[in-house]
C-alpha cells in the first residue's frame, strides 16, 4: 500500500509533539484534544477503496455505450496542460491517491479549520479547506491552495497516512487449560490506518566529493542548474570555485573509494576525511586523513601547514577517538600544466603516498625493548 508502518508507541510520540506545537499557538487543551482526536481517528485502508472503485467503474463501464469516447477528452485535456475537474466516476481513484500521496486540501490541524470545527462544520477532505500538517520545526499556519506547478511543496504540506501497529486483546492458547493459570497470552497485532499528525522529513545530503563521484565514477547521478544538466567539466569547474581545495580532496576521495574504503567528512576531528571499513553503521572510523597536493620533491603550497605543536594536538585528538592519523600526499608530476588540472582526467597521472603518524611513548618503547 506504499505506506510506512510504525509502532503504536512511536505514533503516540508524534501525537504529543503535535500537541505541544498546537499549545504553543495559544490553543486551549479542549480544542487541542478535539482536533487531534478528529485527525488521528482510524481510517479505512486505501486499497479497499481502490478495489471498491474498480468494481464500481467496471459495472458502470458495462452499462456505458462507448467507453473510448469517454476517456479521450480527459486525456487530451491532460496533455494540453489544462486543469480539468474530476468526474464523479473518478473521485474514488483520486481519493485513493490522496490517501497514499497526501492531499493538501485534506490536511490536518490548521488555524483556518479551527473555527469551522468549533462550529461543527468541518468535513474531512472538503475542497478548498486551508489546512496544513504539522511538520518538524514548523508552525501550523494558514496556507493557500498550492499551484499546479509546485508539486514538491504540495507533497510536503500534504497529509501522510501510516499503518500503526496496535495490539489486540490477548487470548489464551487454544486447547491449553493451564494457560489461564500461567498467564500465557498470545499477543495479536493489527494494522490500523491513521494520519500522521507530526511529519519528520529526512533529506539526503551529499558532500561535493560524494556528488561528483556519483556523477563521474559511477554515472548514477545527474545534477541540474535550473533545468539544464551540468556536464562533468562544468561540475569540476563549479565545485572548484565553491571549494578551492576541491581537486585535492576529491582525488583523495576517489583514491580511497577505489581501494574499498568508505570516506566521510572528517570535520569534527579536524581532518579532511574519516575512513570506514564498510560504513558508519557497521564500524567506527579507522583513520583520519589529511590530503595535500605536492610535486615530485614533496614541495608545494600546503593547504594546512602543520607545526609540531598542531601535529601533536591533532594526533592526540585522533588517538583519543581510537583512530590513526594518516597524511595522504597526492604527488603531481612537475610537467603537468594547469590545463591538464582543469579536467578530472588529470587523476591518471597523480601518484599517492600514504604516511601513518604514531605518537612515540618513551615508557612503552622502553618496556618493549627490555622484553627482548
Amino acid at each position: 500500500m506504499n505506506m510506512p508502518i510504525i509502532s503504536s508507541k512511536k505514533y503516540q510520540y508524534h501525537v504529543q509533539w503535535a500537541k505541544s506545537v498546537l499549545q504553543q499557538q495559544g490553543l486551549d487543551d479542549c480544542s487541542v484534544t478535539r482536533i487531534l482526536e478528529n485527525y488521528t481517528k482510524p481510517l479505512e485502508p486505501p486499497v479497499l477503496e481502490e478495489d471498491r472503485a474498480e468494481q464500481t467503474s467496471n459495472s458502470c463501464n458495462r452499462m456505458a455505450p462507448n467507453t473510448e469516447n469517454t476517456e479521450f477528452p480527459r486525456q487530451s485535456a491532460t496533455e494540453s496542460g489544462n486543469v480539468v475537474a474530476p468526474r464523479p466516476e473518478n473521485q474514488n481513484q483520486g481519493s485513493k491517491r490522496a490517501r497514499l500521496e497526501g492531499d493538501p486540501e485534506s490536511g490536518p490541524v490548521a488555524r483556518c479549520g479551527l473555527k469551522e470545527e468549533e462550529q461543527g462544520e468541518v468535513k474531512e477532505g472538503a475542497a478548498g479547506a486551508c489546512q496544513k500538517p504539522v511538520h518538524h520545526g514548523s508552525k501550523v499556519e494558514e496556507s493557500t491552495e498550492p499551484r499546479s506547478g509546485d508539486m514538491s511543496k504540495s507533497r510536503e504540506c500534504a497529509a501522510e497516512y501510516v499503518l500503526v501497529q496496535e495490539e489486540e486483546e490477548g487470548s489464551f492458547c487454544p486447547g491449553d487449560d493451564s494457560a489461564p493459570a500461567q498467564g500465557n497470552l498470545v499477543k495479536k497485532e493489527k494494522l490500523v490506518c491513521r494520519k500522521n499528525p507530526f511529519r519528520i522529513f529526512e533529506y539526503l545530503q551529499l558532500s561535493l566529493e560524494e556528488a561528483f563521484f556519483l556523477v563521474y565514477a559511477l554515472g548514477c547521478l545527474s545534477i541540474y542548474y535550473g533545468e539544464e544538466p551540468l556536464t562533468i567539466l562544468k561540475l569540476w569547474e563549479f565545485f572548484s570555485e565553491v571549494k578551492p581545495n576541491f581537486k585535492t580532496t576529491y582525488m583523495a576521495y576517489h583514491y580511497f573509494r577505489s581501494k574499498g574504503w568508505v570516506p566521510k567528512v572528517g570535520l569534527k576531528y579536524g581532518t579532511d576525511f574519516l575512513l570506514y571499513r564498510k560504513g558508519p553503521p557497521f564500524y567506527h572510523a579507522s583513520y583520519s586523513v589529511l590530503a595535500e597536493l605536492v610535486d615530485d620533491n614533496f614541495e608545494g603550497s600546503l593547504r594546512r601547514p602543520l607545526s609540531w605543536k598542531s601535529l601533536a594536538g591533532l594526533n592526540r585528538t585522533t588517538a583519543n577517538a581510537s583512530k590513526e592519523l594518516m597524511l595522504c600526499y597526492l604527488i603531481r608530476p612537475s610537467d603537468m600544466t594547469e590545463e591538464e588540472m582543469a579536467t578530472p582526467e588529470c587523476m591518471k597521472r597523480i601518484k599517492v603516498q600514504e604516511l601513518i603518524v604514531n605518537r612515540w611513548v618513551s615508557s612503552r618503547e622502553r618496556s618493549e625493548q627490555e622484553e627482548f
Side-chain angles (χ1 to χ4, degrees), residues 207-220:
S207 64
L208 297 182
E209 293 81 9
E210 291 172 336
F212 193 84
F213 184 83
L214 295 178
V215 176
Y216 173 69
L218 300 183
C220 60

Side-chain angles (χ1 to χ4, degrees), residues 67-84:
T67 58
E68 295 181 356
N69 295 334
T70 306
E71 295 292 335
F72 179 76
R74 183 182 60 183
Q75 295 177 358
S76 61
T78 305
E79 293 173 357
S80 62
N82 297 329
V83 179
V84 182

Side-chain angles (χ1 to χ4, degrees), residues 18 35 93 127 132 191 202 223 251 320 322 325 333 370:
I35 291 174
Q93 183 178 1
K132 187 176 182 180
L191 297 178
E202 297 182 1
I223 300 179
M251 286 189 289
N320 289 340
S322 301
L325 180 62
E370 292 176 354

Side-chain angles (χ1 to χ4, degrees), residues 267-311:
L267 182 61
K268 59 183 178 181
Y269 292 105
T271 56
D272 295 321
F273 296 109
L274 295 176
L275 297 185
Y276 294 85
R277 292 176 57 189
K278 292 185 178 181
F282 305 100
Y283 300 98
H284 290 286
S286 302
Y287 299 96
S288 294
V289 182
L290 284 177
E292 292 287 355
L293 182 63
V294 296
D295 56 12
D296 295 335
N297 299 323
F298 282 82
E299 297 178 354
S301 56
L302 299 180
R303 298 186 302 108
R304 189 180 304 176
L306 294 176
S307 61
W308 284 110
K309 183 182 295 186
S310 60
L311 181 60

